[in-house]
């Protein structure tokens, strides 16, 4: 399935409602339900974050990966426990898949003292080394060489782990992305780069960002495989990522995967995305990753209305509990504000 551009002309998935999700993922019912659960949890969590932001309980920014659930979940689901995940700001669900708790992520967003960054940050700039999650570096592109460095470490230590990271359609233009890929390819590092092409980089549409047909076409310049996948189809994303992970684990080097999605919200909560044509949102709404997958699971008899109700109740209970605990938790003492902010 994954081939270099010269051998295959992977098609960019257009937002058509007709596209059928493929079931041949090698996953059994429990795996399929897990994908669904994590996508629902991601959306539920981010909706909670946006509500808390509107209530003035979150300072700074509040980001959402609405529309990106299939990409974040399908990709991280292809990783094993000992693999490394370097997620970006649209990949909240990937943290959950890798084992992060709802409470830890809630504490982090509410900048509490007992959060992963001890209240120094209220968005995605956090890590949890115990789960091999290294959360995003704010400077777009900078994380790619860092993730490649982790992949080099895996290779030097003869570990069988692989490293997966993400970049946006806009971030993919940053020079460090090229530097990282140039190194990862020639050193055949166990590295997977997912380019999340969600049509916009803040207010800049992709037409003003690049001229290649598919961002995965760039792989040919590094001599590595590149594939474009429908980023609203969780099983398609999972399949291409699993293949890339297997290649990387075997020592065959990196893969670039372009996952085509739509950023269904503004850049962050402060942005109402006035610059996106309404029609574009309407077209992509028909391909909502969660609704598509839910429909498929219902048709295949994997999901029932009763099971959906039970799962919805469980997600709401988890979110309510985490929100209540986090809101009660203290902020860090102000006299410690400068501690742990700079490297020694
Ligand atoms: C080097 C750099 N330039 C600018 C920014 C400010 N910034 C943060 S996110 C963003 C848009 C990124 O767009 P894209 O890479 O397409 O990712 P998306 O937000 O669409 O997922 C910008 C300009 C930054 N963080 N780093
Ligand atoms: Mg983008």
């Amino acid at each position: 399935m994954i081939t270099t551009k010269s051998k295959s002309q992977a098609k960019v998935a257009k937002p058509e409602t007709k596209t059928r999700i493929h079931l041949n993922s090698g996953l059994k019912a429990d795996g399929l339900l897990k994908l669904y659960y994590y996508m629902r949890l991601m959306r539920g969590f981010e909706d909670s974050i946006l509500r808390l932001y509107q209530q003035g309980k979150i300072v700074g920014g509040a980001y959402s990966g609405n529309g990106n659930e299939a990409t974040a979940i399908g990709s991280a689901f292809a990783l094993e426990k000992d693999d490394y995940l370097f997620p970006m700001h649209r990949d909240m669900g990937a943290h959950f898949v890798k084992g992060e708790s709802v409470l830890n992520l809630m504490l982090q967003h509410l900048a509490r003292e007992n959060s992963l960054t001890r209240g120094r940050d209220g968005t995605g700039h956090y890590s949890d080394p115990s789960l091999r999650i290294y959360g995003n570096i704010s400077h777009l592109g900078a994380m790619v060489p860092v993730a490649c460095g982790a992949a080099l470490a895996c290779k030097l230590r003869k570990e069988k782990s692989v490293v997966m990271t993400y970049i946006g359609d806009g971030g993919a233009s940053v020079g460090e992305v090229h530097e990282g890929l140039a190194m990862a390819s020639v050193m055949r590092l166990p590295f997977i780069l997912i380019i999340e092409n969600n049509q916009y980089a803040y207010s800049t549409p992709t037409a003003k960002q690049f001229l290649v047909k598919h961002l995965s076409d760039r792989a040919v310049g590094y001599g590595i495989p590149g594939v474009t996948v429908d980023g609203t189809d969780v099983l398609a994303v999972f399949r291409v990522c699993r293949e890339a992970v297997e290649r990387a684990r075997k020592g065959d080097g990196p893969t670039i995967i372009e996952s085509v999605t739509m950023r269904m919200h503004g850049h962050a909560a402060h942005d109402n995305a006035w610059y996106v044509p309404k029609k574009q949102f309407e077209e992509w709404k028909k391909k909502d990753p969660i609704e598509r997958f839910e429909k498929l699971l219902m048709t295949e008899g994997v999901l029932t209305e009763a099971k959906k109700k039970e799962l919805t109740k469980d997600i709401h209970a988890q979110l309510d509990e985490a929100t209540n605990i986090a809101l009660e938790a203290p902020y860090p003492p102000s006299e410690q504000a400068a501690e742990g902010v700079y490297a020694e």
Side-chain angles (χ1 to χ4, degrees), residues 9-243:
Q9 293 294 324
K11 288 199 178 82
V12 174
K14 290 267 162 49
E16 313 164 338
T17 41
K18 286 198 283 291
T19 322
R20 201 179 181 290
I21 291 179
H22 303 287
L23 257 182
N24 61 334
S25 57
L27 293 173
K28 300 210 170 69
D30 66 328
L32 297 169
L33 283 172
K34 269 189 196 154
L35 289 176
Y36 175 70
Y37 163 80
Y38 282 124
M39 286 203 288
R40 291 279 315 273
L41 180 64
M42 172 169 165
R43 187 162 295 176
F45 182 87
E46 292 186 328
D47 285 349
S48 299
I49 294 299
L50 293 176
R51 264 196 305 276
L52 288 163
Y53 177 86
Q54 280 156 4
Q55 291 165 4
K57 291 175 178 155
I58 285 183
V59 287
Y63 295 84
S64 124
N66 193 303
N68 202 49
E69 291 86 354
T71 301
I73 305 299
S75 55
F77 209 72
L79 296 177
E80 299 295 331
K81 187 171 164 283
D82 287 339
D83 293 333
Y84 293 86
L85 176 77
F86 285 69
M88 283 295 288
H89 53 295
R90 309 284 174 211
D91 306 312
M92 186 60 63
H95 294 256
F96 293 130
V97 173
K98 201 75 178 58
E100 196 53 82
S101 71
V102 174
L103 179 59
N104 271 353
L105 291 180
M106 194 58 85
L107 288 165
Q108 169 64 22
H109 281 82
L110 287 165
R112 292 324 211 244
E113 187 183 12
N114 53 348
S115 70
L116 291 155
T117 52
R118 293 166 48 214
R120 270 53 170 185
D121 183 81
T123 52
H125 314 115
Y126 47 85
S127 299
D128 190 343
S130 72
L131 295 171
R132 300 199 164 183
I133 299 173
Y134 292 90
N136 54 306
I137 298 173
S138 190
H139 311 76
L140 299 175
M143 202 158 71
V144 173
V146 176
C148 289
L152 176 60
C154 293
K155 190 169 172 151
L156 293 175
R157 292 175 185 158
K158 299 195 183 348
E159 281 182 22
K160 278 291 168 201
S161 304
V162 306
V163 180
M164 180 178 277
T165 192
Y166 306 77
I167 191 78
D169 46 277
S173 300
V174 174
E176 284 149 297
V177 177
H178 166 67
E179 292 175 35
L181 284 167
M183 179 180 131
S185 56
V186 77
M187 296 183 94
R188 291 186 202 285
L189 299 182
F191 177 69
I192 299 110
L193 178 66
I194 316 237
I195 305 180
E196 298 177 319
N197 178 355
N198 61 6
Q199 316 306 318
Y200 284 86
Y202 215 124
S203 57
T204 306
T206 49
K208 292 192 176 169
Q209 193 74 243
F210 54 85
L211 291 180
V212 280
K213 199 164 175 206
H214 309 306
L215 283 166
S216 60
D217 291 352
R218 291 182 181 168
V220 81
Y222 302 104
I224 61 173
V227 65
T228 289
V229 66
D230 177 350
T232 67
D233 178 343
V234 69
L235 293 180
V237 174
F238 170 69
R239 272 201 315 273
V240 297
C241 289
R242 195 181 46 184
E243 270 187 59

